Amino acid sequence: MQNTNTNNNEAELAASLAPVEPVALRQAMGSFLTGVTVVTARNEQGLPYGLTVNSFNSVSLDPPLVLWSLDKRNDKLDLFRNAGGFTVNIM
């Protein structure tokens, strides 16, 4: 019997690797006027870490590119540099 957490992690990984469709990104970014986002990533142990970011915007639809800024002095800079990806949660 497989652990439920393992199944959930595999499903999350599969969803995170799915390509972002330009139309979906355009719709999402069109709804985001300005405000706050929470950017999250996982550390080497798989534990999530998030921080609030208000310097977020769209750069390109194809390929899907977004920009957000993190101060070089932030103690979690290496976590985001070494993460295989990140998630942006729009508030």
Side-chain angles (χ1 to χ4, degrees):
M1 185 166 102
Q2 277 192 319
N3 184 332
T4 305
N5 288 340
T6 302
N7 290 338
N8 288 342
N9 291 341
E10 290 173 3
E12 287 177 14
L13 178 60
S16 71
L17 298 176
V20 176
E21 295 296 325
V23 172
L25 182 59
R26 178 181 292 227
Q27 287 175 326
M29 293 307 298
S31 300
F32 180 72
L33 301 176
T34 182
V36 176
T37 61
V38 176
V39 178
T40 60
R42 294 186 183 270
N43 66 14
E44 295 83 19
Q45 293 80 32
L47 298 173
Y49 174 79
L51 53 90
T52 54
V53 174
N54 64 356
S55 59
F56 170 77
N57 56 63
S58 174
V59 176
S60 171
L61 294 175
D62 192 14
L65 299 173
V66 296
L67 169 77
W68 60 278
S69 301
L70 181 62
D71 191 315
K72 289 183 180 181
R73 298 169 293 184
N74 188 292
D75 64 336
K76 299 297 183 183
L77 179 62
D78 284 338
L79 182 146
F80 285 96
R81 280 188 172 162
N82 297 328
F86 59 89
T87 301
V88 178
N89 302 278
I90 298 174
M91 307 308 276

